[in-house]
């Protein structure tokens, strides 16, 4: 054990102890001044003068002590020496006023107690030893009469000094130990909070918390990025997703999110749960969100490909089996026409032959659809192709002429493909959009094409009548059509060509709002 100043690293606590010591002398001085003023002419200045001189020296020393506090903090023994000087000054007061002046004995006890706080047990016991020596000398040489009880009182006070020193030292050690534990616990808690914050900010899923009114309190970077916001204060959950306001305590499902009117809708996977916040004293909702747009597009494309492969294979087999009997029927009719002399019969046979040709053409077209696509090898400039298609449709007199075309077509849109087939794809999509906007109050067709690092994304959005969910799911199936004279092969062939170009197809549609095709092609190296 060694003498040290426990408050060396805490300037404010050290100054608090110092001001407490100064306050003791100030109180003694004020009490003495008031007492002197009330005594008037009965004051014995031969006794009072040394008393005031000791108090003045003690206060003056403390003023110097405080003014040089920063330098004294570098010298713990000098700080402890201040307690020793206080002990000497208090003993001098006892010398002039006698042992019976209990106020000064109290000052000794307080001085030892403060030394225990500032210098721990070693400091308190050391000061108690100094105090015992100076106090005993002052008491023995004081001018007051010394009876038997004087020595009893002297011994009792010395015992009190060491008792207070031991107690204050023990309490100081306990306080220091508790302080260290609290500091260690605080550091652990801070580390846990920092780790929690680090994990929350770096997980790929968005995480938000919001009040019962929907005001978002916290949101990590992923959540702000997914929602396209810069700060949590900009977000009110129930304004974005009003359908979740009526949900029970927990919600799990896909929700559509449109950041702005000119942005493509996102499909977000949302998991919502409610907890009780002790800080807010109110319910708090926690939301996890993931951008599942790409995942849902891939799932949709995979389902379409699987279904179309099955339907196409079956239908191609049936078409092949129908074509052979048709050839036989057609040949037989041709031979019969040479033997028939009746004009009505000839006319009927021509009708049969014409319908057989129509069926053959349809089967040929369908078998062309079912035939595997050759891998594309030519470089196609999508910007040129899209502008060509959109210019061509404007000259078509069979479609609505007042459709507003909005083109946002970037540069560097090169893919490997078959130009004529891709042109057929975009003509089919654009023509369908024009026909869907036939009765729309606002007819606008928007095409956007951008080049990403590895892909070319083309979106075509109209403001037409839109499709039902059932129609959207079957739109690429062969022979599925909503048009009175349609064959149902237009979009089926379109999807087949896009599949041959390794393009991903995603269609978003809402009745009364419009339809959007999003096509993603691999970028040509």
């Amino acid at each position: 054990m060694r003498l040290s100043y426990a408050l060396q690293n805490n300037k404010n606590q050290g100054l608090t102890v110092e001001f407490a010591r100064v306050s003791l002398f100030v109180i003694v001085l004020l009490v003495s001044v008031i007492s002197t003023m009330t005594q008037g002419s009965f004051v014995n200045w031969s006794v009072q003068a040394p008393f005031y001189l000791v108090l003045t020296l003690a206060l003056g020393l403390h003023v110097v002590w405080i003014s040089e506090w920063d330098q004294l903090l570098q010298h713990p023994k000098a700080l402890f020496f201040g307690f020793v000087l206080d002990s000497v000054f208090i003993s001098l007061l006892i010398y002039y006023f006698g042992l019976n002046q209990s106020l000064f004995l109290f000052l000794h006890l307080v001085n030892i107690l403060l030394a225990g706080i500032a210098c721990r047990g070693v400091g308190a016991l050391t000061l108690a030893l100094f105090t015992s020596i100076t106090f005993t000398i002052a008491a023995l040489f004081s001018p007051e009469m010394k009876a038997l009880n004087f020595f009893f009182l002297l011994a009792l006070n010395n015992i009190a000094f060491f008792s207070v020193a031991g107690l204050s030292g023990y309490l100081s050690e306990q306080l220091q130990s508790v302080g260290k534990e609290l500091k260690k616990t605080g550091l652990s808690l801070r580390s846990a909070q920092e780790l929690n914050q680090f994990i929350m900010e770096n997980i790929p899923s968005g995480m938000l918390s919001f009040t019962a009114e929907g005001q978002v309190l916290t949101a990590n970077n992923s959540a702000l990025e997914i929602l396209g916001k810069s700060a949590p204060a900009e977000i009110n959950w129930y304004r974005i997703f009003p359908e979740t306001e009526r949900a029970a305590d927990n919600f799990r499902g896909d929700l559509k999110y449109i950041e702005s009117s000119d942005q493509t809708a996102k499909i977000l996977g949302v998991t919502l749960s409610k907890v009780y916040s002790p800080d807010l004293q109110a319910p708090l909702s926690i939301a996890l969100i993931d951008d599942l747009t790409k995942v849902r597009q891939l799932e949709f494309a995979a389902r379409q490909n699987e279904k179309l492969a099955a339907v196409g294979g079956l239908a191609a087999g049936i078409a092949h089996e129908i074509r052979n009997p048709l050839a036989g029927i057609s040949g037989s009719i041709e031979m019969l026409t040479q033997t028939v002399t009746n004009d009505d019969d000839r006319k009927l046979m021509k009708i049969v032959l014409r319908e057989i040709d129509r069926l053959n053409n349809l089967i040929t077209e369908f078998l062309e659809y079912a035939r595997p696509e050759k891998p594309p090898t030519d470089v196609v400039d999508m910007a040129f192709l899209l502008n060509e298609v959109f210019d061509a449709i404007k000259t078509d007199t069979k479609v609505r002429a007042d459709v507003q075309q909005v083109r946002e077509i970037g540069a560097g849109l090169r893919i490997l493909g078959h130009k004529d087939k891709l042109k057929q794809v975009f003509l089919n999509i654009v023509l369908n959009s024009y026909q869907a906007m036939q009765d729309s109050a606002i007819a606008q067709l928007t095409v956007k094409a951008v080049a990403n690092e590895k892909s070319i994304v083309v979106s075509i959005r109209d403001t037409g009548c839109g499709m039902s969910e059932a129609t959207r799911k079957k739109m690429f199936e062969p022979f599925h059509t909503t048009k009175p004279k349609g064959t149902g092969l237009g979009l089926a062939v379109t999807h087949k060509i896009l599949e041959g170009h390794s393009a991903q197809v995603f269609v978003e549609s809402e009745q009364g709002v419009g339809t959007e095709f999003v096509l993603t092609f691999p970028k040509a190296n």
Side-chain angles (χ1 to χ4, degrees):
M1 298 179 65
R2 52 183 296 187
L3 182 63
S4 62
Y5 192 74
L7 305 180
Q8 188 174 4
N9 296 323
N10 195 319
K11 181 179 178 180
N12 292 332
Q13 290 185 1
L15 283 173
T16 301
V17 172
E18 178 63 20
F19 282 121
R21 294 161 61 193
V22 174
S23 300
L24 291 175
F25 286 105
V26 170
I27 292 172
V28 171
L29 179 62
L30 291 175
V31 171
S32 302
V33 170
I34 294 172
S35 175
T36 303
M37 293 175 65
T38 55
Q39 292 178 16
S41 58
F42 296 100
V43 175
N44 184 354
W45 283 105
S46 62
V47 177
Q48 295 288 343
F51 171 77
Y52 283 111
L53 177 61
V54 171
L55 283 179
T56 304
L57 286 174
L59 288 172
L61 180 63
H62 280 288
V63 171
V64 175
W65 231 242
I66 293 174
S67 64
E68 301 295 330
W69 190 255
D70 290 334
Q71 287 72 24
L72 288 173
L73 284 176
Q74 308 301 322
H75 305 283
K77 292 183 179 179
L79 291 170
F80 176 74
F81 185 66
F83 287 99
V84 176
L85 289 179
D86 282 350
S87 177
V88 172
F89 290 134
I90 296 169
S91 296
L92 286 173
L93 296 178
I94 291 174
Y95 172 78
Y96 287 111
F97 285 89
L99 183 60
N100 292 326
Q101 299 296 328
S102 59
L103 174 63
F104 303 134
L105 291 173
F106 171 75
L107 292 180
H108 265 314
L109 297 176
V110 173
N111 191 40
I112 293 171
L113 180 64
L114 293 176
I117 294 174
C119 304
R120 301 184 183 177
V122 177
L125 290 173
T126 306
L127 182 64
L129 178 61
F130 277 106
T131 301
S132 175
I133 295 171
T134 57
F135 169 75
T136 302
I137 295 173
L140 289 175
F141 291 94
S142 66
E144 69 176 327
M145 296 297 292
K146 299 174 180 60
L148 181 60
N149 63 342
F150 168 83
F151 295 99
F152 175 75
L153 188 60
L154 183 65
L156 188 63
N157 285 326
N158 277 287
I159 293 172
F161 294 154
F162 285 99
S163 299
V164 171
L167 182 61
S168 64
Y170 173 76
L171 292 176
S172 176
E173 296 289 347
Q174 292 299 313
L175 287 173
Q176 292 293 329
S177 177
V178 172
K180 287 180 180 178
E181 289 296 327
L182 286 175
K183 186 176 181 180
K184 185 178 179 181
T185 304
L187 291 174
S188 299
L189 180 60
R190 188 181 305 169
S191 298
Q193 289 175 335
E194 290 176 353
L195 178 61
N196 181 54
Q197 187 69 21
F198 177 80
I199 293 173
M200 182 177 171
E201 291 298 334
N202 289 279
I203 58 174
S205 298
M207 180 180 290
L208 308 95
S209 63
F210 56 93
T211 64
E213 291 74 30
Q215 185 58 50
V216 173
L217 302 176
T218 60
N220 65 358
N221 293 332
S222 297
L224 296 176
E225 184 179 350
I226 291 171
L227 298 177
K229 304 294 183 183
S230 58
E234 299 177 7
I235 308 170
N236 185 293
W237 179 268
Y238 292 131
R239 289 180 187 169
I240 298 176
F241 304 111
E243 56 269 47
T244 60
E245 191 170 8
R246 299 182 297 275
D249 290 345
N250 298 311
F251 173 85
R252 183 189 292 269
D254 289 357
L255 296 174
K256 186 185 294 184
Y257 173 66
I258 302 176
E259 184 178 339
S260 59
S261 58
D262 59 340
Q263 297 286 327
T264 304
K266 294 181 179 178
I267 298 176
L268 304 184
V270 177
T271 302
L272 189 64
S273 59
K274 294 182 179 180
V275 298
Y276 181 79
S277 171
D279 294 336
L280 298 177
Q281 296 288 307
L284 189 69
S285 297
I286 307 295
L288 288 174
I289 58 174
D290 290 287
D291 188 353
L292 301 180
T293 306
K294 293 291 183 185
V295 175
R296 295 294 181 258
Q297 289 177 353
L298 290 173
E299 289 176 351
F300 177 78
R303 285 197 299 270
Q304 290 293 327
N305 291 338
E306 185 179 353
K307 184 166 57 178
L308 292 179
V311 174
L314 178 63
I318 294 173
H320 186 72
E321 293 300 323
I322 292 174
R323 196 174 202 180
N324 292 333
L326 279 178
I329 294 171
S330 177
S332 299
I333 296 295
E334 288 282 355
M335 292 180 66
L336 285 175
T337 54
Q338 296 175 6
T339 60
V340 173
T341 56
N342 189 300
D343 292 339
D344 291 338
D345 292 342
R346 286 178 182 272
K347 189 175 180 181
L348 289 173
M349 288 181 182
K350 285 183 179 177
I351 292 173
V352 173
L353 288 173
R354 189 167 61 246
E355 290 301 316
I356 289 173
D357 288 340
R358 195 173 72 83
L359 282 174
N360 259 324
N361 290 333
L362 184 61
I363 290 171
T364 301
E365 187 179 353
F366 186 77
L367 290 176
E368 181 69 21
Y369 157 76
R371 184 178 296 119
E373 289 282 339
K374 294 180 181 178
T377 55
D378 301 331
V379 176
V380 178
D381 186 348
M382 295 288 280
F384 177 81
L385 186 63
L386 287 169
N387 282 315
E388 189 178 26
V389 170
F390 273 71
D391 289 339
I393 199 71
K394 289 179 69 176
T395 62
D396 191 341
T397 58
K398 297 179 182 177
V399 297
R400 185 171 172 176
D402 61 342
V403 174
Q404 181 187 2
Q405 291 187 358
V406 179
R407 307 182 192 183
E408 298 178 12
I409 302 174
L413 308 176
R414 297 182 184 278
I415 67 168
L416 292 179
H418 302 296
K419 181 180 176 182
D420 292 339
K421 290 189 174 182
L422 287 172
K423 189 174 182 179
Q424 180 184 353
V425 165
F426 290 116
L427 274 173
N428 277 340
I429 295 174
V430 171
L431 184 59
N432 281 336
S433 295
Y434 266 75
Q435 291 172 348
M437 293 186 290
Q438 187 63 35
D439 299 323
S440 298
I442 299 175
Q444 179 174 301
L445 185 63
T446 304
V447 57
K448 293 182 181 179
V450 294
N452 296 328
E453 184 179 358
K454 296 182 179 179
S455 62
I456 305 295
V457 180
V458 179
S459 69
I460 300 173
R461 180 171 56 183
D462 63 53
T463 56
C465 58
M467 293 180 284
S468 66
E469 185 62 20
T471 301
R472 189 182 73 90
K473 289 181 177 178
K474 294 183 177 180
M475 60 185 293
F476 292 123
E477 292 183 10
F479 308 115
H480 175 78
T481 180
T482 58
K483 300 174 184 175
K485 296 183 180 179
T487 62
L489 284 176
L491 285 178
V493 172
T494 296
H495 189 275
K496 182 70 178 179
I497 294 173
L498 290 172
E499 186 183 14
H501 286 76
S502 301
Q504 295 174 6
V505 187
F506 183 71
V507 181
E508 186 66 31
S509 185
E510 186 174 350
Q511 287 184 307
V513 177
T515 301
E516 180 177 21
F517 282 75
V518 181
L519 313 177
T520 305
F521 296 89
K523 191 176 181 180
N525 294 324

